[in-house]
Amino acid sequence: MIKTVKFGGSSVSSGSAFEKAGKIIKSDPSRVAVIVSAPGKRFSGDTKITDLLYVLRAHIKYNAPYGDIIGEIEKRFEEIKEYCGLKFDLKSEFSRFRAELGGKISTDYIVSRGEYFCARLMAEYLGYTFVDAADCVFFDYSGKVDTEKTYKSIAEKAEENRKIVIGGFYGSDPDGKIKTFSRGGSDITGSLVAAAIGADAYENWTDVSGILSANPKIVKDPRPIEKVTFAELRELSYMGAEVLHEDAVFPVRDKNIPLYIKNTNDPLAEGTLVMETFNEDDADRKTHFVTGISGKKNFSVITFMKAGMSENYGFMKDVLGVFAEMNVKVELVSSSIDTFSVTVAETSLKEKFHELITRIEEKASPDSVKTESEVSLIAVVGRKLAYNVGIAGKIFTSLGENGINIKMLEQGADELSIIIGVKDADCAKAINVLYRLI
Ligand code: ASP
């Protein structure tokens, strides 16, 4: 049994956080590959190292003095080093980094240093081998991960060294230059490492006891989700639940590696297990039939009406074709006999709106077009929805009883989620009403 473990920013934010993470790692000898983020916030109002590095970069770009910022970053690492009694020569590393900052240096290189230094310190703390992500996570010319090359290289490094620590979030491009993932990308590094070494589990350690079934800023004390499938997780994250970097699921999903979300501050808490499928019997399917609820605001619903639309062959195709031509991402399409509605994020529409409608009028001649903005989409997600009848009815009734008007209701053929459109102003209330149902 071997495991890959990834510790997020708050789990490596200070010396005492290192200590907790170290205890967790050492308590299970199968935890052989460790991925770390850059130190995150130690308390609310604190600044993440990665954010400080972005600020540093901005100061350099605009020729503003940056001595204090780099000093602050160095101090954060020094404190961890001191607390953990480490020998790593941070002084020389930082004087080299300072010298590099005076030359031609990329943003990606600068911001990757948070993970680099953190991994260096963690490797010494654990007595594991430090592996530089620049030497084993490779991007291709299109900016995507070259998985074949990356897997081969990580597997070799893990084989040679047995127990390794890698900084998340970065790798190198085909020219050997440092390149980073988008923010939160250490989750992807962890997933790649798990896939590369054929881990039996990928544990993602963070500061919450698993994925919550609703946003705690909206619903009071939402229940943590015990088990969720990769498909459900994608629906929940797509609709606004902040859990993992959305690209992090692919490598482990491809290799069927179970993913655990665990809490560094409460290691014994169950956390959430993410897998492709679960073996569930009828009794299981009747409990917690909704896995989670998430919602996103600021959509526009554009409704096209054309008499005889259902007998007409190309109307929908023509209308949707214009959205594609103009690079406006369609989130949802729902239709009735003579109308159909296209839901898009308001940000993707912005100044394109008038041209879009003009082109659609020219191409498809709808009888009328109606637009409604400030719409929220709420997703009620659950693999068990398919086994329980009457849920859409309950949703209608409970929202109606609470005076919330449903703008639309859509269920995919896979019955994995029900999407409900309500006015933005009703979004939080609707989520609470729906949460009480589950
Ligand atoms: N440190 C980077 C960030 O703050 C990457 C990560 O933590 O995953 O986005």
Side-chain angles (χ1 to χ4, degrees):
M1 165 81 94
I2 52 168
K3 293 178 185 165
T4 293
V5 291
K6 180 252 163 180
F7 287 84
S10 55
S11 305
V12 289
S13 60
S14 63
S16 57
F18 260 55
E19 217 173 14
K20 274 190 217 163
K23 267 204 195 108
I24 292 168
I25 297 164
K26 291 290 173 83
S27 69
D28 179 350
S30 66
R31 294 181 171 131
V32 295
V34 179
I35 288 79
V36 287
S37 284
K41 293 184 185 183
R42 294 158 294 178
F43 41 84
S44 86
D46 195 17
T47 312
K48 294 178 177 189
I49 290 285
T50 309
D51 290 329
L52 287 174
L53 288 162
Y54 276 107
V55 173
L56 171 67
R57 163 72 189 144
H59 277 64
I60 294 171
K61 189 165 170 208
Y62 297 108
N63 285 322
Y66 56 80
D68 286 356
I69 301 169
I70 181 98
E72 195 181 332
I73 296 169
E74 183 172 0
K75 197 164 143 242
R76 290 276 301 268
F77 285 108
E78 274 296 347
E79 276 169 12
I80 297 173
K81 178 184 156 175
E82 286 270 300
Y83 185 99
C84 299
L86 306 175
K87 293 201 195 65
F88 180 67
D89 190 359
L90 267 175
K91 284 247 150 15
S92 320
E93 287 267 350
F94 266 86
S95 55
R96 203 170 65 218
F97 187 33
R98 278 193 176 80
E100 286 168 335
L101 292 175
K104 230 176 142 288
I105 190 170
S106 73
T107 305
D108 283 19
Y109 179 79
I110 295 175
V111 300
S112 71
R113 295 305 87 187
E115 271 70 11
Y116 169 81
F117 290 124
C118 189
R120 281 281 193 190
L121 295 178
M122 184 57 89
E124 186 188 338
Y125 183 60
L126 297 171
Y128 288 12
T129 306
F130 166 78
V131 172
D132 195 338
D135 301 330
C136 62
V137 175
F138 300 110
F139 293 89
D140 62 20
Y141 278 110
S142 71
K144 294 214 176 72
V145 176
D146 180 337
T147 38
E148 206 177 307
K149 199 169 157 200
T150 298
Y151 287 171
K152 187 164 172 282
S153 175
I154 295 173
E156 278 167 14
K157 302 248 175 341
E159 177 93 46
E160 271 162 35
N161 301 293
R162 251 180 46 77
K163 294 195 166 182
I164 55 175
V165 177
I166 306 181
F169 186 45
Y170 72 97
S172 49
D173 71 10
D175 300 325
K177 295 210 188 72
I178 296 286
K179 178 171 165 54
T180 58
F181 291 105
S182 55
R183 295 297 304 265
S186 300
D187 288 338
I188 309 176
T189 313
S191 185
L192 288 167
V193 173
I197 67 169
D200 299 287
Y202 170 32
E203 294 176 349
N204 195 296
W205 290 85
T206 166
D207 53 6
V208 286
S209 291
I211 304 169
L212 299 174
S213 50
N215 182 344
K217 289 186 192 131
I218 298 177
V219 172
K220 194 166 174 282
D221 293 333
R223 156 174 68 76
I225 300 173
E226 212 181 293
K227 292 173 182 169
V228 59
T229 64
F230 284 113
E232 288 175 306
L233 185 63
R234 243 184 106 60
E235 299 256 345
L236 287 168
S237 339
Y238 186 76
M239 290 302 294
E242 281 170 28
V243 190
L244 283 174
H245 191 295
E246 60 172 341
D247 293 335
V249 300
F250 298 112
V252 279
R253 188 176 184 176
D254 270 357
K255 306 246 162 160
N256 216 0
I257 298 171
L259 162 61
Y260 294 85
I261 316 275
K262 302 274 289 176
N263 188 351
T264 313
N265 301 315
D266 189 4
L268 296 178
E270 192 107 11
T272 300
L273 167 60
V274 194
M275 283 182 75
E276 190 62 37
T277 51
F278 294 101
N279 254 334
E280 282 160 332
D281 61 21
D282 281 351
D284 295 330
R285 285 177 181 145
K286 297 286 173 225
T287 52
H288 297 325
F289 54 84
V290 169
T291 305
I293 300 177
S294 58
K296 246 191 196 170
K297 286 186 169 176
N298 299 324
F299 289 96
S300 290
V301 182
I302 313 174
T303 303
F304 302 92
M305 139 96 197
K306 187 165 176 103
M309 184 187 94
S310 47
E311 277 99 60
N312 186 308
Y313 287 108
F315 182 66
M316 279 169 86
K317 174 184 132 295
D318 288 346
V319 173
L320 290 172
V322 178
F323 280 84
E325 261 165 50
M326 293 197 58
N327 293 323
V328 178
K329 206 169 121 231
V330 171
E331 307 286 338
L332 203 69
V333 176
S334 54
S335 69
S336 58
I337 309 291
D338 284 339
T339 63
F340 88 103
S341 304
V342 180
T343 304
V344 296
E346 275 166 23
T347 44
S348 70
L349 208 54
K350 274 200 225 140
E351 62 288 339
K352 292 182 181 169
F353 180 72
H354 292 291
E355 186 182 344
L356 180 97
I357 299 300
T358 310
R359 286 207 210 176
I360 289 173
E361 277 168 349
E362 278 165 11
K363 193 151 188 183
S365 316
D367 296 339
S368 70
V369 181
K370 203 179 99 205
T371 305
E372 172 144 18
S373 299
E374 297 176 6
V375 171
S376 295
L377 294 183
I378 298 171
V380 176
V381 178
R383 61 188 179 281
K384 302 178 192 169
L385 289 176
Y387 303 95
N388 289 276
V389 282
I391 293 167
K394 281 189 197 150
I395 290 175
F396 260 118
T397 315
S398 56
L399 290 177
E401 279 169 4
N402 284 280
I404 298 166
N405 183 25
I406 300 178
K407 298 272 156 208
M408 74 186 146
L409 187 122
E410 194 57 45
Q411 180 178 272
D414 55 5
E415 296 186 59
L416 187 63
S417 66
I418 297 174
I419 312 272
I420 303 135
V422 299
K423 284 300 280 177
D424 278 348
D426 288 333
C427 181
K429 185 173 173 196
I431 291 178
N432 272 292
V433 167
L434 294 170
Y435 186 79
R436 268 181 254 133
L437 270 185
I438 66 174

